[in-house]
Amino acid sequence: MKLSRTLSTMLDDPRLFRQYAYVDGKWTHGDGGREEAVIDPATGEVIGHIPWLEADQIRAAVDAAEGAFVHWRALRADERCERLLAWYDLLQANREDLATIMTLEQGKPLPDARGEVEYGASFVRWFAEEGKRTFGETIPSHIPNAALGTIKEPVGIAALITPWNFPLAMITRKAAAAMAAGCPVIVKPAGETPFSALALAELAERAGIPAGIFNVVLGEPAEVSKILCFDDRVKALSFTGSTRVGRLLLEQSANTVKRVSLELGGNAPFIVGPDMDPKEAAFAAVAAKFQTAGQDCLAADRILVHESIHDEFVEHFAERMAALTVGNGLESEIDLGPLIHRQAVEKAAAIVDDALAKGATLVAGDQSLAPGENFFMPTLLTGVTHDMKIWHEESFAPVAGITAYANDDQVIEMANDTEYGLAAYIYTHDIRRIWKIMRALEFGMVSVNSVKMTGPPVPFGGVKHSGLGREGGITGIDEYLETKYYCLGALGSVSGS
Ligand SMILES: NC(=O)c1ccc[n+]([C@@H]2O[C@H](COP(=O)([O-])OP(=O)(O)OC[C@H]3O[C@@H](n4cnc5c(N)ncnc54)[C@H](O)[C@@H]3O)[C@@H](O)[C@H]2O)c1
Ligand SMILES: N[C@@H](CC=O)C(=O)O
């Protein structure tokens, strides 16, 4: 077993740090000898290596899943529930190690990483239970002497392709739903953050999840995804990531007519009504913008403030933003860690430059204070307008843009002026305004007077170019279920029932 001395010595249980792929219950290296380094974004140091599997090895993962499916689907829902709950218990018991791994590979502050482990584990518990409630229906028969109804059956092998910003929860929200439904999964995590996925595999094995049910494949992203998309045995594809890649995968899944769920980019408006206390709203906006250093699909990207309180709001926002600490997420009292890599920093700088060139005002944000080359200091721009990149693109960085608006109709138009439709925030206590704006917003999720909006019971997902389908909630498991209709004819005794 290869162990990076630094990372493994930081863990209570070094066996959670695995530098192999996990296929058919076995830790696997790449047959072609290809390897990729994984970097700590805070320090630029190599924290480990992962193998890149060859095409045949990816297909072998599909073979394994196909074999394992037969037994897994045949288990009773309560038997699958038991194994998933054992997995949940292990995630909780190993929370500290999982958080350390996450902070090292992703960069988010340790308390946020602990929060994500909790969050990720909560989906496992939720779907373990939901698996017992995949009810079919009885249908009043229109056919003489027949009984009609539906049963729910697992769709089959699910390929899960996930991003680096939430390396654990974006996997469990999909995998637990699929596994509870009776499906095996093949996870392709982001190359930047594979170790959280591999730790999940280690714990799945300890929880008694059979070989071939939870697989983690690693490799060149486009190559791996193509193999999974073109394989007819893979019946469902669930992807979380950028809209650009989501479109590509949707196209690649067309030939085999897969069930496709997409959780894509966001460009959330944060609307502040004229009746709001500017300080309260500004503090909430800071919280909604800077989590995970702005690398969050729910980040408040376009902050739209009524003109009557705009200046006061900006003052409070700047004051609160100035209190945010930036540094290595392993240190204490850090609010913002690094961005995932240097290109993300360059993209953030380009977005700021573009806005300034087009007339925005830089209120705060001094890059000379950045504690390392992958860090971007919290930045505040005012006078943001629709011709600027920051208006249309997800910055995925701690860059906040504020725009003043005059009335409700105008702010609705501004908020909807994006190809994205994931989440939106409204801050006002005027119930008529809430209702009007909430109904008019073209977004899958609207949060009113609350930064926190997610969790297991919630149908998470977007409209427009932000995605297809919903994860979590009571419908999340449906992404992995087929409805089979049955007609039992010639029964004799059921007519009229
Ligand atoms: N809607 C949601 O729930 C949600 C949640 C988290 C992140 N996101 C979105 O994810 C994006 C950030 O994550 P990211 O940068 O990892 O996204 P990304 O699209 O670059 O990568 C996501 C996954 O796709 C893989 N990938 C990359 N290029 C590929 C290609 N050409 N073919 C096939 N696979 C490929 C990556 O290796 C990774 O596993 C943001 O747009 C963010 O909004 C959305
Ligand atoms: N914060 C989101 C992930 C988006 O990047 C979530 O809760 O799912």
Side-chain angles (χ1 to χ4, degrees), residues 119 123 165-166 170 173 295-298 396 422 454-455 460:
Y119 182 52
F123 290 111
N165 66 337
F166 281 76
M170 296 302 98
R173 192 160 67 189
Q295 305 169 110
D296 190 322
C297 57
L298 303 179
F396 240 52
L422 187 61
T454 60
F460 190 103

Side-chain angles (χ1 to χ4, degrees), residues 63 106 110 147 211 222 269 415:
D63 296 342
Q106 202 283 334
L110 257 182

Side-chain angles (χ1 to χ4, degrees), residues 68-88 124-134 152-155 175-184 204 207-210 213 477 480-481:
F69 181 40
V70 179
H71 302 290
W72 186 247
R73 73 175 299 175
L75 291 179
R76 293 190 316 270
D78 63 295
E79 291 173 315
R80 287 195 294 267
C81 172
E82 290 300 316
R83 314 240 174 137
L84 288 168
L85 288 179
W87 196 27
Y88 167 80
V124 178
R125 185 168 61 177
W126 173 267
F127 283 115
E129 293 297 336
E130 282 300 293
K132 295 188 286 191
R133 292 186 272 277
T134 56
K152 298 284 178 76
E153 295 184 338
V155 68
M179 289 154 71
C183 301
I209 308 280
I213 294 301
I477 199 165
Y480 304 96
L481 290 168

